Each structure stands twice: as structure tokens, then as C-alpha cells.
Amino acid sequence: MKIAILSAADVAGWYTATLTERGHEVTIGPFGHAPTAVTSMIEDGIEGVLILTDGDENFDEIAARFTRATGRPVWRNLTEIPR
């Protein structure tokens, strides 16, 4: 599964390593302004988004747009992602 990680904090490396070990392909964001970010993720074939933040509005907007545009999942916790 191709997963995008959106993270304001510098913790994406650990999550990337864990997801890669589980067989996922990972892309790390932020991807910029919400409409551009969603378009970019759709074009890149992202199948789900892991958001690592404490309520940043930009990430929440991207998550909502991504879900509406694709019907694909947005996760807030590593344990929610299927193996």
C-alpha cells in the first residue's frame, strides 16, 4: 500500500521505517496548500494518509479533502493501518 505521512514534527523517519518493514511504500509530506496537496497525492497514487500532528488545521483540511476526493482512508495512529 502506498501511504503518505503528513508530519509537522521530525518523527516521520521512525514511522517510515516501521511502515516500510511492513511492506508499504511511503511518501513524506507536508505537501503544501491543501488543494495542491490532495491533487499531488491522487496523482502519486497514494492509497492512504497517516497524519502525525496535534490538530494542525492545514493537516485536517488536507485529510478532509483527501477523503472526500478519493474515499481512501486517513489514519491518526500507526495501529490503524492494515498490515
Side-chain angles (χ1 to χ4, degrees):
M1 180 180 292
K2 191 169 185 179
I3 298 171
I5 296 177
L6 302 180
S7 176
D10 190 22
V11 296
W14 182 85
Y15 286 89
T16 299
T18 300
L19 290 169
T20 301
E21 286 175 5
R22 294 182 182 179
H24 299 291
E25 183 179 341
V26 179
T27 301
I28 299 174
F31 296 90
H33 184 64
T36 306
V38 172
T39 300
S40 174
M41 286 189 285
I42 291 169
E43 290 173 354
D44 289 345
I46 300 297
E47 299 171 78
V49 178
L50 173 63
I51 297 181
L52 305 171
T53 183
D54 290 331
D56 183 294
E57 291 178 23
N58 189 44
F59 288 131
D60 290 340
E61 182 181 351
I62 291 171
R65 286 178 180 268
F66 182 79
T67 299
R68 279 195 310 271
T70 67
R72 297 174 188 157
V74 175
W75 304 287
R76 297 274 183 179
N77 191 310
L78 188 64
T79 60
E80 299 170 349
I81 300 172
R83 290 184 177 250

